[in-house]
Amino acid sequence: MTDASSSRTASAQPPRSSRDKLLDSAIACFDEHGLSGMTIEQIRRHANSSVGSMYHHFGNREGLIAALFLQLLDDQMAWSRAEIDAATTPRQTVRALIHGYLDWVTHHPVEARFMYAARSEVATSSSAGSLKEKNKQRFGPLLAVLKAGVESGDIRSLPRETFASLLVGPSENYCRAWLSDRVSGAPVDHTDVFVEAAWRAISTSPID
C-alpha cells in the first residue's frame, strides 16, 4: 500500500512482507483485469508467491479481497487523521474529512477504483463485521463532533444514518465520475465546493 510519506525513497522503506507483496500484487492485477477478472493464480504469479502462502494469509479469494479493502480503508483513514485531529470546530472537522477523502482518491486512483468495485462484496462477506468496526473508527470522531454541534445548535438535528451520505455522498459521486473519465478536474481541486455543499446540508446557519 502507499501512504502519505511518498517522498521517502524505496531504499528507506522496510522490506515488504509476503502478505504485503500479495496485497500489492492484488492491486496490480485488479488494475489490469478488473475485480471479476482478477484471479488467485494471477496474483500469486505477480507476487512470485506460493499457493500455500496465499491461502495461509487469506484463506481464499474472498478473504484476500476483504483484507485488501480493509487495509486500504486503514490507509485512507491514516491519510486524513492528523487533519481531523487538529480540527477544533464542526466546520473544520467537516473540511478535514472531505479534504482527506478527496486528496486520498486523487493520489490513489487505482486503489479507489478497487474500493468502489469491492465494497458491496466485502459488505456481504464474512468480513462484514470487521468493515462495520472500521467504519465506526472512521466516522466515530466525526459523529461525536456532530452530536456536540447539534446540542449547541450549530448542526441540524438529523437522523444519524443520513450524515455520511450528506457529507461524503456528493464527493464520492464526483470521485466516481473522475475515475471513469467523465470529468477531468482532480477531486482535491474541488475541496472548497464540496465542503461548502456539505456544510450547507447540515448546518443551521450555513452562510458565514
Side-chain angles (χ1 to χ4, degrees):
M1 304 306 105
T2 53
D3 58 33
S5 303
S6 58
S7 61
R8 291 191 298 173
T9 63
S11 61
Q13 298 284 350
R16 304 292 282 165
S17 70
S18 60
R19 183 180 187 276
D20 286 339
K21 287 178 181 177
L22 286 165
L23 293 175
D24 290 342
S25 293
I27 277 292
C29 291
F30 165 79
D31 192 30
E32 183 175 356
H33 303 287
L35 188 65
S36 61
M38 181 180 76
T39 68
I40 288 288
E41 180 60 18
Q42 290 165 355
I43 297 166
R44 183 197 68 75
R45 283 191 208 167
H46 189 279
N48 193 27
S49 178
S50 68
V51 173
S53 179
M54 172 73 76
Y55 286 97
H56 167 72
H57 289 301
F58 306 111
N60 53 29
R61 184 178 181 277
E62 177 188 274
L64 183 146
I65 289 173
L68 178 55
F69 187 95
L70 295 173
Q71 177 63 58
L72 291 173
L73 197 57
D74 281 341
D75 291 350
Q76 192 181 92
M77 289 190 290
W79 190 265
S80 57
R81 178 54 58 200
E83 189 175 357
I84 290 174
D85 289 346
T88 59
T89 67
R91 181 159 184 160
Q92 288 175 359
T93 303
V94 168
R95 180 179 179 82
L97 173 75
I98 294 173
H99 175 259
Y101 180 77
L102 295 172
D103 195 46
W104 187 86
V105 171
T106 300
H107 287 87
H108 304 84
V110 176
E111 289 87 345
R113 286 190 190 97
F114 171 83
M115 292 188 76
Y116 288 138
R119 179 183 293 169
S120 61
E121 182 173 334
V122 176
T124 56
S125 73
S126 59
S127 296
S130 297
L131 176 58
K132 186 176 181 179
E133 185 59 35
K134 293 282 187 188
N135 281 327
K136 283 184 181 179
Q137 296 172 20
R138 181 185 182 191
F139 291 111
L142 173 66
L143 289 172
V145 169
L146 294 176
K147 181 180 179 181
V150 170
E151 292 172 352
S152 68
D154 295 321
I155 303 295
R156 294 167 59 201
S157 181
L158 299 165
R160 178 179 174 137
E161 63 269 21
T162 65
F163 277 113
S165 295
L166 289 170
L167 293 173
V168 185
S171 299
E172 182 176 285
N173 184 65
Y174 184 87
C175 287
R176 286 178 179 271
W178 180 70
L179 291 169
S180 60
D181 295 323
R182 288 184 282 123
V183 295
S184 59
V188 73
D189 292 343
H190 299 303
T191 294
D192 290 342
V193 173
F194 289 111
V195 169
E196 183 64 22
W199 186 248
R200 286 175 178 272
I202 67 168
S203 174
T204 56
S205 54
I207 300 176
D208 292 333

